[in-house]
């Protein structure tokens, strides 16, 4: 089955992610995470984009981003992974592929659906059993949203203001909400979007967006078991 084309248009929001080649670990210690964040900042300066959230896991990363005018998600992610690969090989004394060649970048509706994706992204360490309190995990944007810390890479998500009357209320809401497990339906919907490239949002918006971007929406066959696929947290 041919791969779906990359959606390219100004003003789109993407849930972008990639993992280590052959699912291998990419981050081994503090210096590795910092090198990736340095590469992220360099890429942001070269190919402007708004970064609304991120999480770096042992063998993969998640970003919630909106490319600036005239920029493309493909150019941004290719530049990021190339820059980080250079840092990685210099530190590890290695050669070859670090990241999988095909990253994923489904489009996300800029409303409450964006908040669900942000929550999914920042809750990764909880689902993986790495921490019980996200305040103990330094390699995500959770400290920005749940603790009010400044991160020069991160911009305010447009939908953020619906969470409360002021910033303190929004942070308190987020701390509780992000520590509450996503429902099975929410997890399935986000993971389906990631695995298929299907836009994530209201059904009518998904249909319109897919049509505008020339994406074919695969229909689930009725009466047949769905094929099991490996999950990425």
């Amino acid at each position: 089955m041919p791969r779906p084309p990359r959606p390219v248009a100004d003003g789109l929001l993407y849930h972008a992610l990639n993992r280590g080649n052959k699912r291998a670990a990419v981050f081994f210690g503090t210096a590795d995470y910092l090198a990736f964040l340095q590469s992220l900042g360099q890429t942001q300066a070269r190919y402007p984009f708004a970064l609304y959230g991120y999480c770096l896991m042992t063998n993969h990363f998640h970003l919630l981003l909106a490319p600036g005018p005239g920029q493309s998600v493909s150019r941004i992610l290719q530049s990021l992974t190339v820059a980080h690969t250079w840092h990685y090989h210099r530190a590890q004394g290695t050669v070859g592929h670090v990241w999988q060649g095909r990253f994923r970048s489904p489009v996300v509706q800029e409303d409450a659906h964006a908040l669900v994706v942000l929550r999914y992204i920042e809750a990764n360490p909880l689902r993986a059993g790495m921490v019980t309190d996200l305040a103990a995990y330094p390699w995500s944007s959770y400290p920005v949203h749940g603790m009010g810390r400044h991160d020069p890479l991160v911009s305010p998500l447009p939908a953020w203001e619906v969470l409360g009357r002021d910033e303190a209320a929004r942070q308190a809401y987020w701390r509780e909400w992000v520590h509450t497990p996503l429902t099975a339906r929410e997890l399935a919907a986000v993971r389906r979007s990631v695995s298929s490239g299907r836009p994530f949002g209201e059904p009518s918006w998904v249909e319109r967006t897919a049509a505008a971007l020339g994406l074919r929406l695969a229909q689930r066959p009725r009466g047949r078991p769905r094929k099991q696929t490996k999950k990425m947290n």
Side-chain angles (χ1 to χ4, degrees):
M1 182 178 182
R3 290 170 173 170
R6 296 285 184 202
V8 178
D10 286 345
L12 292 178
L13 178 65
Y14 298 87
H15 176 194
L17 57 156
N18 203 352
R19 66 179 115 198
N21 190 40
K22 298 181 180 180
R23 299 178 179 269
V26 175
F27 304 112
F28 301 97
T30 299
D32 302 314
Y33 291 101
L34 291 176
F36 184 90
L37 294 176
Q38 179 183 348
S39 298
L40 189 60
Q42 291 171 343
T43 303
Q44 195 175 49
R46 186 175 184 184
Y47 302 109
F49 62 90
L51 180 67
Y52 298 123
Y54 68 88
C55 186
L56 312 184
M57 300 293 284
T58 305
N59 71 346
H60 66 278
F61 67 81
H62 293 259
L63 309 174
L64 184 63
L65 63 91
Q71 304 299 333
S72 74
V73 69
S74 294
R75 179 182 298 145
I76 290 167
L77 294 184
Q78 288 168 0
S79 176
L80 170 61
T81 52
V82 167
H84 174 259
T85 295
W86 182 82
H87 283 291
Y88 179 93
H89 287 321
R90 186 177 65 171
Q92 302 294 329
T94 56
V95 295
H97 295 291
V98 176
W99 298 100
Q100 286 186 352
R102 181 71 175 181
F103 58 84
R104 302 175 187 179
S105 56
V107 181
V108 179
Q109 188 172 3
E110 292 194 55
D111 58 4
H113 289 84
L115 291 171
V116 171
V117 173
L118 179 61
R119 180 175 163 223
Y120 174 90
I121 288 172
E122 292 186 353
N124 260 264
L126 286 178
R127 288 195 301 277
M130 299 172 73
V131 294
T132 56
D133 184 345
L134 289 168
Y137 194 81
W139 310 117
S140 83
S141 54
Y142 172 79
V144 175
H145 300 116
M147 303 162 66
R149 292 184 185 173
H150 174 68
D151 186 331
L153 295 173
V154 179
S155 299
L157 183 66
W160 179 250
E161 292 188 359
V162 306
L163 296 181
R165 64 186 179 279
D166 55 37
E167 189 61 23
R170 291 189 283 269
Q171 290 169 13
Y173 186 97
W174 190 255
R175 287 194 296 272
E176 181 177 354
W177 195 36
V178 79
H179 282 89
T180 302
L182 277 77
T183 66
R185 184 174 182 178
E186 288 172 330
L187 278 173
V190 176
R191 285 169 171 164
R192 181 188 179 197
S193 172
V194 167
S195 63
S196 68
R198 181 186 182 92
F200 183 76
E202 291 290 341
S204 59
W205 177 88
V206 169
E207 295 285 346
R208 292 194 307 270
T209 302
L213 297 174
L215 300 175
R216 179 182 296 180
L217 297 180
Q219 299 296 323
R220 292 180 181 174
R222 296 183 178 180
R224 299 178 183 177
R226 284 180 291 172
K227 182 180 179 181
Q228 296 296 313
T229 58
K230 293 183 178 179
K231 296 177 181 178
M232 179 184 290
N233 287 329

